[in-house]
Amino acid sequence: MSKFVIYLELKPFVAQWAVHHYGCPVEFPPQSVGNARIVAVLKKRPADAAPEVAAEGLTPISIPYSKQKDPSGWNYVSRHGKQFIVQYIEALFRDNMYMEMSAMCQEDSKIQTAAYAWCEMHGISIDYADTIRQRFYRERNLHLENGVDLRRKKRVKKEK
């Protein structure tokens, strides 16, 4: 990885998740799709563009080294390029959340409890547990509307 970074505006819980798993600055594994997407949108810095600086609410993302686009010269990402990278990170987050939450909710557990546990496992403040629970419900219901039932099939027995 290079010492060059870009700064992205991510949702707070997505930023916490990314930093927990990939460090700060966020550094995707070598030869990963994440790095390929970053390299794909790199440009040479325009003469009138000032280098980016850290600011509150922005997550630093490391620019990977590439033979084709050496970060010392290719270290600028346009607004649309940043949106492209943000969409990838959010999709990665959503897939990770849905797969793990689905497995956790197959057992006799409540979704809210699973959301708290999932947040703790992934370095996300538990203040966002309700947001995670709602996102999980929404994703599951979107599939249900198309005839794909991903809900738990066993009845949860209440203890007396």
Side-chain angles (χ1 to χ4, degrees):
M1 289 296 146
S2 71
K3 61 184 178 206
F4 295 95
V5 296
I6 56 173
Y7 294 93
L8 300 179
E9 188 174 343
L10 298 171
K11 294 174 179 134
F13 52 92
V14 175
Q16 290 173 8
W17 172 86
V19 168
H20 177 78
H21 288 288
Y22 299 107
C24 189
V26 172
E27 200 172 291
F28 293 111
Q31 286 87 42
S32 68
V33 173
N35 281 344
R37 289 191 177 213
I38 293 169
V39 170
V41 296
L42 285 175
K43 298 170 136 184
K44 289 193 174 195
R45 181 169 305 285
D48 61 341
E52 293 186 60
V53 293
E56 186 70 31
L58 297 178
T59 305
I61 310 290
S62 181
I63 297 175
Y65 177 78
S66 168
K67 288 179 184 176
Q68 294 84 11
K69 294 182 177 179
D70 184 345
S72 63
W74 296 77
N75 53 28
Y76 177 78
V77 178
S78 68
R79 183 174 58 88
H80 294 293
K82 287 181 178 183
Q83 289 174 343
F84 180 69
I85 298 166
V86 166
Q87 287 173 352
Y88 168 75
I89 295 170
E90 288 182 355
L92 192 61
F93 169 84
R94 184 185 60 242
D95 292 347
N96 179 232
M97 182 266 306
Y98 190 78
M99 289 179 66
E100 290 185 2
M101 285 284 293
S102 293
M104 292 170 77
C105 293
Q106 292 299 321
E107 306 300 321
D108 295 338
S109 65
K110 293 183 178 178
I111 293 176
Q112 185 65 48
T113 307
Y116 277 106
W118 192 82
C119 286
E120 288 175 347
M121 289 173 16
H122 294 280
I124 299 171
S125 168
I126 59 169
D127 295 341
Y128 295 106
D130 195 50
T131 303
I132 299 301
R133 179 190 59 78
Q134 289 173 354
R135 290 182 78 143
F136 176 72
Y137 272 131
R138 269 189 239 116
E139 186 71 20
R140 192 171 68 177
N141 289 339
L142 285 172
H143 290 287
L144 191 58
E145 289 173 5
N146 290 301
V148 179
D149 190 356
L150 300 172
R151 293 174 296 182
R152 130 181 75 204
K153 299 295 183 190
K154 295 186 332 186
R155 175 175 272 193
V156 177
K157 295 180 183 178
K158 294 185 179 182
E159 293 183 33
K160 295 181 182 179

